[in-house]
Amino acid sequence: YGGGGGAGGLIYKTGHSIASGESLDVNVGAGGRGGYASNNTGTIGEDTTFGTFTAKGGGGGGGEDVGTEGGSGGGSSYTTGTAKAATQGSQSGDSGTYGHGYAGGAGHGSGRDYRTAGGGGEGAVGEDSPASGGSGDGGAGYATDIRTGVSTTYAGGGGGGATSNGPNLKGVGGSGGGGDGSPASGTSGD
């Protein structure tokens, strides 16, 4: 019954100058984890830093609870609750000005066969727990051609975990690398 984890924050700024010979500290934070049953809310991902820029870790998915805030917000479990906000855009300086992130999806109660919500991506919100079909899909990532010259999508949100009425009703991860939700109780998502 766990909601999908939110994507870590993404910062996109063109024309940022780095002086020849300048040394920059880079630290890549570890990813968080989606939620699972019995009120085990997922963990928030660690922050990633590049010089003065900070990309916030993604929000944890809710485990029979609402998700948590993060670079993009974690999706809620089936439990009725407000979607959790993305925090990347509220960071100080360029980290917020050029930051991207969207909220996770909201839960709508057990009346929807315990379907869970998807985590937010860098280009779209996570899907709320649906009224039919599988659990909510993760939000789409952010598309840019800055790295390869071809539009590529990064940082999709995680899909919501499988519902109680079948093991194949997990949510699909958002485009740009979002993991699919867990296909069965007690197992991790993709």
Side-chain angles (χ1 to χ4, degrees), residues 91-125:
Q91 301 308 300
S92 61
D94 285 350
S95 294
T97 301
Y98 299 98
H100 298 270
Y102 283 84
H108 287 283
S110 59
R112 293 193 174 184
D113 288 329
Y114 299 94
R115 295 177 182 91
T116 62
E122 298 314 295
V125 298

Side-chain angles (χ1 to χ4, degrees), residues 49-122:
T49 58
F50 176 82
T52 60
F53 296 97
T54 299
K56 301 298 292 181
E64 295 191 286
D65 200 350
V66 295
T68 61
E69 294 181 346
S72 282
S76 296
S77 181
Y78 67 87
T79 307
T80 302
T82 304
K84 286 302 181 177
T87 59
Q88 187 62 50
S90 64
Q91 301 308 300
S92 61
D94 285 350
S95 294
T97 301
Y98 299 98
H100 298 270
Y102 283 84
H108 287 283
S110 59
R112 293 193 174 184
D113 288 329
Y114 299 94
R115 295 177 182 91
T116 62
E122 298 314 295

Side-chain angles (χ1 to χ4, degrees), residues 12-18 146:
Y12 177 74
K13 181 184 180 185
T14 60
H16 182 71
S17 298
I18 299 174
I146 190 172

